[in-house]
Amino acid sequence: MTAVDHRRPTARDTVAAEWTKLAGLPRNRRTAAGAVALALLVAALFCLTFGATTGVPLAEQPVFDVLTAGLLGVDAAALVLAVLAASATGGEYATGMIRTTFTATPSRGRVLAARALVAATASWAVSLVAAVGAALVSLLVLWLSGLPAWDATDPAVWRVVLGASLMGPFYASAAVALADLARSTAGGVAGVAALLVAPTVAGWLPGGPAVVPFLPGEAVHVLAGIAGPGHASPWSALLVLAVWAVALLLLAHGANRRRDT
Amino acid sequence: MISVRGLTKRYGENLAVDGLTFTVAPGRVTGFLGPNGAGKSTTLRMLLGLDTPTSGDARIGGTAYRRLAAPAREVGALLDPAAVDPGRTGANHLLWLARAGGIGRARVDDVLGLVGLEEVGGRRIRHYSLGMRQRLGIAAALLGDPGVLLLDEPLNGLDPEGIVWTRRLLKGFAEEGRTVLLSSHLMNEMEATADHVLVIGGGRLVADVGLAELVATGAGTRVEAVSPRADELAALLRREGATVDGGRGGRIAVTGADAARVGDLAARHGIPVHELVPVRARLEDAFMALTRGRGRHEGRTGEPGAADANTRKPQGRGMVR
């Protein structure tokens, strides 16, 4: 029998526990692999049909636009990761395991923060793989079409690849917060969907376009380099996303801090 | 040591727990008895800091659960063995709990061995039987080697072997000087498991007594006798001051006289006796007497536990009033 050491658990232990929960579930590992595969598939689809959908032959497209078209595959991966993050949180409410979680770690704020951190970090790692993979797919399509490749030494290339990879962690942490707020997977997914369509809806409303730059959907587009010129800088877009993520987590924490489970 | 003072929980109009005050001492198994809906689970959730009391407080070793520095080391809890992710392996479930409590990985194998699940730790929980899930829940409660165990209906759905095993484990724990509180609506199970019982009904404390005392305050010990001349025997016993019920089929129930007195009396008068059975008052009888009119779900009071225990009683159904 191993003696149980008498150490006070720390925030680091909570992060380790949340990571063990997330990574220890085979279906989560499969879903993450599936998200990357989906990114590559969607990237290939968008690059191959780019000429047809825009009405401009691929050969006449700026190669940079072929890259950003391929990076739309990362959007698909980010949505899968958001659903995964929502179900990891919402699933605990569905089974009642949340009570075990809160019994093991009575500080609910610490649990929520650890969960969001783990979901964001894991999503970022998966998204980076997906973004680099999608970029390589666009390269492959250009090469197969006998066209010149984009310049891998161009910092703008790396900026959009990195920018595209940030969508996953943002939507994953938002999904954690929203699923916790709604105490359900469906609530988390619906919340993320609302964030996604918000810029479109805002565009229809009087005065709406003014707030669009402050919505996460738009900020994500800026980072992925598909918002076109004349938009906010990537740094302000990053700030918008960070503020949204923190605000949603604080909202969830405020609602759940004293709520009975 | 668990202490609950003036604990009250109101859900809208419904007063689930109503000014509950009690302490649970270490060194013995304390049963938390009450019909379904009596407030047992709500009380346990408040003890674990999951639900916030409307008023009053619940402490473990003098501290509210949410303020414990290392909860897993102090309290092991089993609330609902079904509240796990079925896609996870048993070992992974214990591992994340160990991580959360700052407990080393080696302890996971220890507790798996302790509950006899070492062979199936790597299997997904979805393939576990109900009994195995219960054991996994108990393993989780034991991870931090806690001084206090809180178990909600730990014997529910267990096979007889599992019940015996759990009972022995809990008794062993209590003998080591730990505090063990287990809730149940199965009176007959509690009879063999607990040393002391807290009885609640309608959210209020009805009794806080030793098991023996509870049984003694119950329906009273009686003797059942079968005789072809039961009427005659009944008349003699009544003359002796005993109370006699029944008589149908030559079967009578006697209170106020023990088996020896009944037998001697029959022998003295040459009355043949075919059966003479002392019947100890059962916990469920005592419990029913205590909680009558206290249960929130009156109709259910006698149902799951008590009813199934009653049907197992061999003697005199239809005769005991």
Side-chain angles (χ1 to χ4, degrees):
Chain A
M1 184 72 34
T2 317
V4 177
D5 51 331
H6 283 261
R7 187 165 68 77
R8 185 192 177 114
T10 62
R12 189 188 287 258
D13 292 313
T14 310
V15 171
E18 289 303 322
W19 168 250
T20 306
K21 262 190 218 171
L22 189 71
L25 207 52
R27 98 173 151 251
N28 288 351
R29 297 198 295 265
R30 282 197 302 272
T31 306
V36 173
L38 183 70
L40 302 185
L41 204 70
V42 172
L45 198 71
F46 273 101
C47 290
L48 288 170
T49 60
F50 195 42
T53 50
T54 54
V56 182
L58 198 60
E60 290 165 32
Q61 295 279 3
V63 287
F64 193 78
D65 288 2
V66 180
L67 169 66
T68 54
L71 287 176
L72 287 172
V74 187
D75 287 52
L79 294 185
V80 173
L81 294 171
V83 173
L84 171 59
S87 77
T89 300
E92 286 201 25
Y93 284 101
T95 60
M97 195 171 99
I98 192 73
R99 293 202 182 109
T100 313
T101 296
F102 288 156
T103 308
T105 310
S107 168
R108 298 182 185 184
R110 190 194 269 184
V111 171
L112 183 62
R115 223 195 269 281
L117 182 70
V118 165
T121 310
S123 298
W124 196 19
V126 173
S127 297
L128 267 177
V129 174
V132 171
L136 291 176
V137 165
S138 74
L139 203 61
L140 186 69
V141 169
L142 288 170
W143 181 72
L144 287 175
S145 315
L147 297 170
W150 35 261
D151 181 6
T153 61
D154 181 357
V157 167
W158 292 102
R159 185 174 77 65
V160 290
V161 170
L162 199 65
S165 76
L166 289 171
M167 228 180 309
F170 169 73
Y171 283 123
S173 58
V176 166
L178 291 163
D180 196 51
L181 188 66
R183 302 181 147 202
S184 77
T185 303
V189 173
V192 167
L195 289 181
L196 278 170
V197 301
T200 314
V201 174
W204 300 335
L205 300 173
V211 300
V212 166
F214 302 103
L215 296 176
E218 178 70 6
V220 155
H221 284 165
V222 169
L223 286 176
I226 52 172
H231 281 269
S233 81
W235 291 114
S236 61
L238 210 55
L239 185 69
V240 166
L241 289 190
V243 168
W244 271 91
V246 170
L248 290 172
L249 286 167
L250 286 176
L251 188 67
H253 178 57
N256 270 339
R257 202 159 48 100
R258 312 275 314 156
R259 201 151 47 149
D260 291 347
T261 54
Chain B
M1 173 80 151
I2 298 167
S3 54
V4 165
R5 232 184 23 222
L7 195 65
T8 301
K9 182 68 181 180
R10 180 185 287 280
Y11 296 106
E13 290 286 286
N14 183 14
L15 206 53
V17 175
D18 186 3
L20 214 50
T21 299
F22 62 80
T23 60
V24 181
R28 64 187 184 194
V29 176
T30 302
F32 195 28
L33 266 174
N36 287 326
K40 301 186 298 290
S41 296
T42 307
T43 302
L44 292 180
R45 283 203 303 275
M46 286 193 283
L47 262 168
L48 292 168
L50 293 169
D51 287 12
T52 309
T54 306
S55 62
D57 62 17
R59 289 166 193 270
I60 288 165
T63 310
Y65 187 90
R66 291 182 78 162
R67 295 185 170 277
L68 292 174
R73 313 298 164 75
E74 316 244 359
V75 185
L78 169 67
L79 286 184
D80 177 5
V84 288
D85 191 326
R88 212 175 280 290
T89 66
N92 179 262
H93 180 70
L94 295 175
L95 183 60
W96 79 255
L97 273 169
R99 293 260 192 269
I103 297 161
R105 183 190 272 267
R107 182 70 187 158
V108 169
D109 294 330
D110 282 353
V111 292
L112 277 173
L114 208 60
V115 301
L117 288 180
E118 60 272 68
E119 301 286 317
V120 295
R123 240 193 274 169
R124 303 222 193 139
I125 298 171
R126 86 160 53 93
H127 302 301
Y128 285 19
S129 66
L130 180 57
M132 286 156 87
R133 287 180 198 215
Q134 287 276 20
R135 282 171 189 246
L136 182 66
I138 291 172
L142 299 181
L143 258 181
D145 197 23
V148 175
L149 274 182
L150 291 179
L151 309 160
D152 198 8
E153 306 268 0
L155 305 173
N156 238 6
L158 286 185
D159 54 12
E161 195 191 341
I163 289 173
V164 170
W165 176 85
T166 309
R167 191 184 290 154
R168 198 172 297 152
L169 182 91
L170 298 181
K171 280 190 183 293
F173 245 67
E175 277 159 20
E176 289 168 25
R178 302 182 209 231
T179 306
V180 181
L181 179 66
L182 75 151
S183 80
S184 182
H185 67 271
L186 294 172
M187 321 313 155
N188 53 336
E189 275 316 325
M190 204 56 104
E191 196 159 3
T193 314
D195 308 308
H196 193 91
V197 287
L198 299 166
V199 183
I200 66 168
R204 288 167 181 248
L205 192 68
V206 177
D208 179 353
V209 290
L211 196 72
E213 203 183 324
L214 176 65
V215 172
T217 59
T221 306
R222 64 174 193 274
V223 177
E224 295 191 2
V226 176
S227 167
R229 288 157 62 189
D231 291 347
E232 235 175 291
L233 184 59
L236 287 167
L237 283 162
R238 285 197 186 99
R239 211 175 304 148
E240 295 271 310
T243 311
V244 185
D245 286 321
R248 212 178 310 151
R251 184 182 287 270
I252 54 172
V254 185
T255 39
D258 62 11
R261 262 183 74 196
V262 176
D264 289 352
L265 191 69
R268 227 178 300 137
H269 292 85
I271 299 173
V273 174
H274 296 167
E275 223 178 276
L276 188 62
V277 188
V279 181
R280 195 159 69 89
R282 300 183 59 102
L283 183 54
E284 56 260 36
D285 298 333
F287 174 79
M288 295 285 274
L290 281 170
T291 57
R292 200 159 291 141
R294 302 283 205 125
R296 205 157 286 284
H297 304 290
E298 197 62 35
R300 284 162 71 186
T301 306
E303 271 166 25
D308 110 79
N310 277 331
T311 51
R312 264 186 254 147
K313 268 201 248 178
Q315 317 90 349
R317 240 184 311 150
M319 181 199 64
V320 182
R321 296 228 179 103

